[in-house]
Amino acid sequence: LRKTNKGGVPKQVFKLFNGGSFNADYNKKYKPLKVAIPATAKHVEVVAVITGHGWGVEKANCAEFCNHTHHFTVGTKTFVRDHPWVGDNFGCAKQIDKGVVPNQYGTWTLGRAGWCPGLEVTPTVFDVTAQAPAGKEVTISYQGLLGGKAYLPEKAPPGQYNPTGFGAQIDMESWLLIYE
């Protein structure tokens, strides 16, 4: 937590949701959370660090090479994190100026879900102050989707299947930060 001209000093943090195996049961473990926002709150954020991993065993090549989306609903408004570099053969190569380590062996150039080789994973920050008013209780929910639906893994077909690969995994941590 740090003060960064957000209208207050960070005072409280609430653990929200974490990732796991990205499959048909992924969203079943996420129940809405209720958080009482202090009357002294000046600024509220949802902060999440999200990356996808897994390749070679599922048709969609999730979660490293598929654009899974992450939906955080605070009150009645939904905030979405997606991965726009996925599907771009040079998605990571285009980010060398941001810290990607160039000229690695293999697939280092390919756009990935939330990370690139050598690049710091930048937290996603949503300003939810308007949806989490001071002195009120707010409900926060989450779901991870692929193509707007729950992800239903299908085994990769022969020729795409790689026995050294592994199934889809979402690495995620998320928090609600309250500035006073």
Side-chain angles (χ1 to χ4, degrees), residues 1 5 11 46-47 54 66-68 76 82 99 115 118-119 126-127 135 157 159 166-167 172 174 176 178:
L1 299 176
N5 300 320
K11 291 285 188 173
V46 168
V47 177
C66 69
N67 189 9
H68 41 86
T76 59
D82 67 350
W115 69 279
L119 185 63
F126 298 116
D127 180 347
F166 58 96
M172 177 182 71
S174 62
L176 185 74
I178 299 174

Side-chain angles (χ1 to χ4, degrees), residues 84-159:
W85 295 107
V86 169
D88 183 336
N89 285 337
F90 297 97
C92 285
K94 291 175 182 175
Q95 298 181 69
I96 291 172
D97 63 332
K98 294 181 175 102
V100 172
V101 177
N103 301 322
Q104 298 181 40
Y105 293 104
T107 63
W108 75 272
T109 63
L110 301 177
R112 290 172 167 80
W115 69 279
C116 287
L119 185 63
E120 175 183 339
V121 176
T122 305
T124 297
V125 179
F126 298 116
D127 180 347
V128 299
T129 306
Q131 292 73 37
K136 303 285 184 182
E137 183 176 75
V138 65
T139 300
I140 303 168
S141 60
Y142 163 79
Q143 60 179 336
L145 305 173
L146 179 65
K149 300 182 285 191
Y151 178 53
L152 304 173
E154 296 177 46
K155 186 175 180 179

